[in-house]
Amino acid sequence: MTERPGCPSVAHPYMANSVGAIKAAMLADIGAPSIEALFEQIPADHRLRRPLALPKAIPSEAELRRHLLGVLAKNKTCEDNLSFLGAGCWQHHVPAICDEIVGRSEFLTPVWGTPSSDHGRNQAWFEFCSQLGELVGMEFVGLPVYSWGCAAGHAIRMAARLTGRNEVLVPRSMDPERLAVVRTYCEPEALASHIAVRAVDYDAASGRLDLADLRAKLSARTAAIYFETPGYLGTVEENGAEIAMRARAAGAETIIGVDPISLGVLAPPGDYGADIVVGTTQPLGVHMNCGGGVGGFIATRDEERYAREYPTLLISITDTLKPGQIGFGLTLAHQTSYGLREKGKDWTGNSVYLWAIANAVYMSLLGPAGFRELGERIVQQSHYAARALAEIPGVRVVFPGGFFKEFVVNFDATGKTVAAIDEALRARGIFGGKDLSREFPELGQSALYCVTEIHDREDIDRLAGTLGEIVQ
Amino acid sequence: MMKNGGLREYRSASWDEPVVMELGYPGRRGMVFGEVDAAIAAKVGAAEALLPAAMRRRRPPALPELSEPEVLRHYLHLSQQTLGMLGVNLFGTCTMKYNPRAGEAVMARPQVAETHPLQHADTLQGTLELVHGFDLILRELSGMDRFVFQAAGGADAAYTHACVTRAHLAARGELGKRDEIVTTIQTHPCNPATAATAGFKVVTLMLDERGYPSLDALKAALSDRTAALMVNNPDDMGIYNPEIKEWVRLVHEAGGLCFYDHANFNGVMGKLRARELGFDACMYMLHKTFGAPKGGGGPAVGAYGCTAELARYLPGPVVAFDGAKYRLDSDRPDSLGKVREFWGNVPQVLKAYAWARAMGAEGIHEASDLSVLANNYMEKKLLAIRGVTKSNPHIDAWRMEMTRYSLGVLKEDTGVGVADMQHRMVDFGVDAPWLSHEPWLVAEPFTPEAGEMWSKEDIDYWIAALARVSEEAYRDPEIVKTAPHNQSIAKIRTDGLEDPERWATTWRAYRRKHRKA
């Protein structure tokens, strides 16, 4: 037996070799005097000289579960409460089989295998790309990136490399959360490779991009114009084709950000001039997970100039040595940082590949009719909600037409702040929309409300009724 | 996994599963949402009229039309056609370990899954308490003063460091002047790559005969342009740089920051702390070292920790605790901004917390013990296999939790290299081992990592599989070269993968390029 100070005396359930006799046998096999001797490479003065001071171990699963559940019981959830929060992370229905499939050990626990040993997982990834490509109207789709903001950041950097220009135009109405990520990707001004981020104003009446301001700011320095539809403030960008046309005329790339769950009813950005499409993957079968569910994607036309700028992993269908059989393999892997280190395209690493499988399952389940039905339901319910709220005295919907699932609600005329209203709603089991008053002072006391298919009429009526009472 | 002392006759499931785009029948449905409430429809009318005409979808997406059980069965088949760690998987540098299902079960509950990151902090006190608790655990493991979990992977944490460095330099008026980040050729490629993406020039130090770069090489690289050092230790060859304290001292003397990429933490956790070695910041991968699942490559978390001096630059929000209540602090004027939306892959952080609590100080100490013991046990047995050598063979010391090996001799003798070996290993139910990041510093490299989870029997099985591959290579190399033999599909053809006329990342592109009829 090898007793070692500080190690558990009972074998640990996660560690098969934490049995004294096994350790002794392995040491004997290699002829080492002790486990401590194996750490001989580390100089003594590098070593921690005391045991770690950590909370007491809980190796018992029963006790650990009790501990975790006890603490987590302090949370309030969007299941027990009625939530209208969106703004980058949205509550949609997650089909049961999405959870079933991503819980499969074969997908949950490993990393890479060979194209033959991990054929099924590679195929699921290819099916993610293939179905997303149908939704957004693009033929070339990368494996996912961390988030929508990260996808936008990479796409802008792709555009800067493609055009040799160093300025990007973004809507001033862009999500500040997402914009903060984009700014990080575009680097501070003091650096030579900086990409300047210039905001294009939005039309105060419609929320859409101000075309006059766009014309004024578009120039020979513009690498890309980036816009979203639906935008952060919920509105659908009606002038997408014209914006893309103007960008093209100026020699700039058009990057369009989308929430793909809207694409059963909204036009695929490939149809109205997108060069690069980015967006979120979270709505497609992934729980909000307190923001841990987010994911992003990049898609383009299948043209070499775009393909050779991707920082993502890319998987292609191919043949196998057996006639008639298909398989999947990585393509263009050498251009990533795995192949070229600092000369690679940005960087490549872990991402949200498990969520890509949930997304694939989700898109297969919905099919064309499911996406249309879902989109129509959301649009009708969100507009119903907007009208119901607008009927409350003092409450105004800022951009009342042409949105998808989110819309801006203004409370100025009630004399109450969003924070005060939210607090009152919370006390009544309702999470109000995201407070916009700090992000967009010009919108006054406004909040971004999100209505999806998970809400029903009673939920919306309850919100309207409760808000009515609060702002009285 | 020993069966009568021999190797298992593994056979992968082979369902010959079509691509989902080929499945289904027009009109079939896998998910319906029901008719919208009549009162809603009456009030707002048809959805179509509520959207700008120019932006409505005209043609439905060409998605498959399947019933729910068909979708379930299709993806179950795909999971079965994935070896996915159901045998023995010693994928080096990634620290394959057990992902406790208690964590999976608890984090799937609505208290985590159905929470929104913008909920008022009062409604997330449980999550914030655990995140803060885990921050404290990592502080103790590293000696750092503050951790954040926004980075969505190890590479993203390296990027976070590059951005912290920018913010630090900007505050000192040195941004643009100090524009070089120093790293080593054995440091993970994400370090130079994220440094370059953040706008820095990269200086890469090569190894000397001891297996790490010399102090002279480091000194020659340092100057008033040095912004930071980004380095791992031990490296993937299992060699620990004993001069690392002096490295840190020299970099600090030159005015740079020091970042410890703790990708290879498993062999040293509980044994040393980044802070005491002098580092300003470090990174842990929760999906590797801390028992959260890898998911085939995320959702992941790079936990980034730093000193109090650098903490003001961290991406926000950060969790704050006043002794009674937790809140999210976003009001941080010196913050670098954000590297990703919201505050992190929260369920993964909580799973890592659960793992760390299950292990405790004793368990963590034991895990690094077992990882290093198992690696040296493997090394002795693997080097006894014909055709196998190790990197830096003249270095006689015990290696850390990993050793890099070479099949250079085997390739020379038999023509069988590491790629062939990978294809044959999977035939025994063993996931293909990691080879090496590029550039390859030894011929035909491979890098198994035993970790603390796998039993001695599992490790013996893995060794036996490699011994069989070697034996076959010398006896009848065609067996190995034509492998795999027991998988869902044969070896793929790679010749079209780099050809723009033939590659296809979507079914739509495939149909256009390959099924023109």
XYZ file of all heavy atoms in Angstrom, chain A residues 33-73:
324
model
N 10.616 4.906 -6.487
C 10.520 4.697 -5.044
C 9.216 5.218 -4.457
O 8.724 4.702 -3.466
C 11.718 5.478 -4.490
C 12.047 6.487 -5.539
C 11.671 5.876 -6.841
N 8.638 6.255 -5.078
C 7.425 6.849 -4.523
C 6.771 7.695 -5.604
O 7.410 8.031 -6.612
C 7.777 7.762 -3.340
O 8.550 8.861 -3.818
N 5.520 8.058 -5.382
C 4.875 8.958 -6.336
C 5.572 10.313 -6.307
O 5.799 10.937 -7.344
C 3.370 9.081 -6.020
C 2.672 7.763 -6.390
C 2.748 10.239 -6.784
C 1.184 7.738 -6.164
N 5.940 10.743 -5.132
C 6.611 12.038 -5.009
C 7.846 12.110 -5.916
O 8.133 13.156 -6.515
C 6.988 12.290 -3.545
C 7.633 13.635 -3.279
C 6.842 14.840 -3.778
O 5.592 14.805 -3.725
O 7.469 15.800 -4.249
N 8.553 10.995 -6.025
C 9.779 10.983 -6.832
C 9.497 11.323 -8.292
O 10.362 11.838 -9.006
C 10.446 9.611 -6.739
N 8.255 11.053 -8.739
C 7.929 11.284 -10.145
C 7.869 12.766 -10.491
O 7.872 13.141 -11.655
C 6.584 10.632 -10.483
C 6.499 9.121 -10.229
C 5.093 8.616 -10.536
C 7.524 8.367 -11.087
N 7.779 13.601 -9.459
C 7.697 15.044 -9.689
C 9.077 15.704 -9.646
O 9.197 16.908 -9.441
C 6.759 15.688 -8.663
C 5.313 15.317 -8.890
C 4.772 14.161 -8.340
C 4.491 16.114 -9.669
C 3.444 13.803 -8.565
C 3.158 15.779 -9.897
C 2.641 14.613 -9.341
N 10.113 14.915 -9.858
C 11.481 15.403 -9.699
C 11.819 16.569 -10.624
O 12.717 17.356 -10.328
C 12.473 14.261 -9.961
C 12.420 13.751 -11.394
C 13.440 12.642 -11.666
O 14.358 12.490 -10.855
O 13.304 11.957 -12.691
N 11.096 16.704 -11.750
C 11.420 17.801 -12.672
C 11.125 19.183 -12.085
O 11.684 20.178 -12.531
C 10.601 17.665 -13.956
C 11.083 16.624 -14.934
C 10.403 16.857 -16.285
O 10.730 17.804 -16.990
N 9.454 16.015 -16.623
N 10.193 19.225 -11.143
C 9.780 20.537 -10.620
C 10.696 20.922 -9.462
O 10.761 20.212 -8.455
C 8.324 20.501 -10.114
C 7.402 19.945 -11.199
C 7.880 21.887 -9.663
C 5.951 19.813 -10.769
N 11.441 22.027 -9.581
C 12.328 22.441 -8.485
C 11.539 22.621 -7.187
O 10.369 23.036 -7.211
C 12.887 23.781 -8.972
C 12.733 23.757 -10.457
C 11.499 22.948 -10.723
N 12.186 22.321 -6.091
C 11.506 22.366 -4.787
C 10.903 23.738 -4.515
O 9.802 23.840 -3.958
C 12.486 21.991 -3.685
N 11.603 24.794 -4.945
C 11.077 26.123 -4.622
C 9.943 26.564 -5.554
O 9.460 27.676 -5.455
C 12.203 27.163 -4.590
C 12.739 27.465 -5.977
O 12.542 26.629 -6.899
O 13.346 28.536 -6.163
N 9.536 25.689 -6.467
C 8.337 25.962 -7.271
C 7.102 25.331 -6.627
O 5.988 25.611 -7.040
C 8.469 25.386 -8.692
C 9.491 26.072 -9.535
N 9.447 26.062 -10.903
C 10.594 26.794 -9.205
C 10.475 26.738 -11.393
N 11.191 27.182 -10.373
N 7.333 24.457 -5.685
C 6.225 23.649 -5.154
C 5.448 24.391 -4.086
O 6.001 25.158 -3.289
C 6.780 22.335 -4.564
C 7.330 21.375 -5.625
C 6.236 20.749 -6.451
N 5.353 19.958 -5.635
C 5.524 18.652 -5.390
N 6.536 18.003 -5.933
N 4.671 18.003 -4.625
N 4.159 24.128 -4.084
C 3.296 24.616 -3.015
C 3.635 23.798 -1.770
O 3.655 22.564 -1.831
C 1.831 24.414 -3.418
C 0.759 24.824 -2.422
C 0.766 26.338 -2.211
C -0.621 24.382 -2.925
N 3.879 24.496 -0.671
C 4.378 23.772 0.505
C 3.299 23.411 1.498
O 3.590 22.936 2.592
C 5.437 24.627 1.201
C 6.710 24.742 0.398
C 7.636 25.792 1.006
N 8.569 26.299 0.022
C 9.655 25.637 -0.369
N 9.960 24.483 0.149
N 10.441 26.154 -1.299
N 2.052 23.667 1.161
C 0.981 23.349 2.103
C -0.160 22.701 1.344
O -0.251 22.836 0.121
C 0.496 24.639 2.780
C -0.011 25.668 1.780
C -0.796 26.771 2.439
N -1.209 27.800 1.504
C -2.269 27.713 0.701
N -3.030 26.631 0.698
N -2.587 28.704 -0.125
N -1.023 22.002 2.029
C -2.191 21.440 1.337
C -3.099 22.562 0.864
O -3.141 23.639 1.484
C -2.896 20.601 2.407
C -2.007 20.585 3.604
C -1.024 21.702 3.471
N -3.817 22.343 -0.209
C -4.783 23.329 -0.689
C -5.865 23.532 0.364
O -6.314 22.566 0.992
C -5.451 22.832 -1.973
C -4.581 22.759 -3.219
C -5.316 21.986 -4.314
C -4.213 24.152 -3.706
N -6.258 24.773 0.530
C -7.342 25.073 1.463
C -8.642 25.222 0.677
O -9.007 26.313 0.250
C -7.028 26.354 2.234
N -9.286 24.109 0.425
C -10.539 24.120 -0.336
C -11.670 23.657 0.567
O -11.429 22.998 1.588
C -10.430 23.180 -1.546
C -9.436 23.574 -2.633
C -9.452 22.546 -3.761
C -9.742 24.959 -3.175
N -12.908 23.973 0.188
C -14.026 23.453 0.974
C -13.957 21.923 1.030
O -13.422 21.280 0.121
C -15.262 23.909 0.200
C -14.804 24.928 -0.774
C -13.333 24.753 -0.974
N -14.505 21.389 2.069
C -14.467 19.934 2.303
C -15.002 19.181 1.082
O -16.002 19.571 0.485
C -15.351 19.630 3.517
C -15.280 18.214 4.021
C -16.124 18.105 5.299
C -16.316 16.673 5.754
N -16.883 15.767 4.782
N -14.312 18.110 0.730
C -14.724 17.303 -0.424
C -16.097 16.687 -0.187
O -16.449 16.347 0.949
C -13.693 16.207 -0.678
N -16.866 16.552 -1.278
C -18.170 15.872 -1.199
C -18.183 14.740 -2.225
O -18.823 14.844 -3.274
C -19.338 16.852 -1.494
C -19.130 18.204 -0.794
C -20.659 16.230 -1.071
C -20.219 19.230 -1.115
N -17.447 13.666 -1.973
C -17.389 12.600 -2.982
C -18.703 11.830 -3.120
O -18.904 11.127 -4.113
C -16.263 11.696 -2.488
C -16.123 11.987 -1.028
C -16.576 13.401 -0.823
N -19.591 11.954 -2.156
C -20.882 11.259 -2.229
C -21.807 11.993 -3.192
O -22.105 13.178 -3.012
C -21.522 11.212 -0.833
O -22.935 11.203 -0.946
N -22.269 11.302 -4.228
C -23.143 11.934 -5.210
C -24.431 12.425 -4.558
O -24.946 13.499 -4.889
C -23.475 10.976 -6.355
C -24.376 11.617 -7.388
C -24.701 10.719 -8.572
O -23.767 10.369 -9.317
O -25.883 10.382 -8.754
N -24.945 11.653 -3.627
C -26.190 12.039 -2.967
C -26.015 13.360 -2.224
O -26.854 14.256 -2.312
C -26.634 10.936 -2.010
N -24.903 13.485 -1.519
C -24.675 14.724 -0.767
C -24.392 15.892 -1.691
O -24.842 17.019 -1.455
C -23.467 14.554 0.172
C -23.778 13.765 1.424
C -22.530 13.616 2.300
O -21.730 14.581 2.387
O -22.338 12.526 2.860
N -23.639 15.601 -2.742
C -23.292 16.668 -3.690
C -24.565 17.222 -4.343
O -24.753 18.431 -4.461
C -22.337 16.127 -4.757
C -21.881 17.129 -5.815
C -21.050 18.243 -5.200
C -21.069 16.418 -6.907
N -25.426 16.311 -4.738
C -26.677 16.719 -5.373
C -27.516 17.583 -4.427
O -28.054 18.613 -4.827
C -27.441 15.445 -5.770
C -28.767 15.684 -6.423
C -29.437 14.327 -6.703
N -30.822 14.517 -7.039
C -31.256 14.832 -8.253
N -30.398 14.985 -9.239
N -32.542 15.000 -8.487
N -27.564 17.161 -3.179
C -28.333 17.922 -2.199
C -27.748 19.337 -2.045
O -28.472 20.318 -1.995
C -28.325 17.182 -0.854
C -29.502 17.506 0.026
C -29.806 16.373 1.003
N -28.648 15.994 1.808
C -28.269 14.737 2.016
N -28.941 13.739 1.497
N -27.220 14.470 2.763
N -26.437 19.379 -2.003
C -25.768 20.686 -1.880
C -26.089 21.587 -3.074
O -26.495 22.739 -2.918
C -24.258 20.480 -1.755
C -23.444 21.719 -1.994
N -23.523 22.833 -1.177
C -22.558 22.038 -2.984
C -22.702 23.773 -1.646
N -22.118 23.319 -2.735
N -25.926 21.034 -4.268
C -26.142 21.842 -5.473
C -27.592 22.313 -5.571
O -27.869 23.486 -5.831
C -25.773 21.043 -6.732
C -24.309 20.644 -6.877
C -24.138 19.650 -8.033
C -23.415 21.872 -7.113
N -28.504 21.394 -5.357
C -29.919 21.754 -5.470
C -30.307 22.757 -4.390
O -31.117 23.651 -4.639
C -30.804 20.510 -5.381
C -30.703 19.543 -6.568
C -31.636 18.354 -6.362
C -31.023 20.246 -7.874
N -29.710 22.609 -3.240
C -30.012 23.545 -2.156
C -29.636 24.962 -2.526
O -30.396 25.905 -2.315
N -28.462 25.120 -3.111
C -28.029 26.468 -3.500
C -28.852 26.970 -4.687
O -29.329 28.105 -4.699
C -26.519 26.488 -3.833
C -26.101 27.885 -4.285
C -25.693 26.049 -2.619
N -29.042 26.108 -5.658
C -29.744 26.548 -6.882
C -31.218 26.847 -6.632
O -31.855 27.545 -7.427
C -29.583 25.496 -7.988
C -28.165 25.409 -8.570
C -28.028 24.207 -9.496
C -27.797 26.698 -9.324
N -31.748 26.335 -5.531
C -33.146 26.636 -5.198
C -33.345 28.124 -4.961
O -34.476 28.617 -4.982
C -33.568 25.834 -3.972
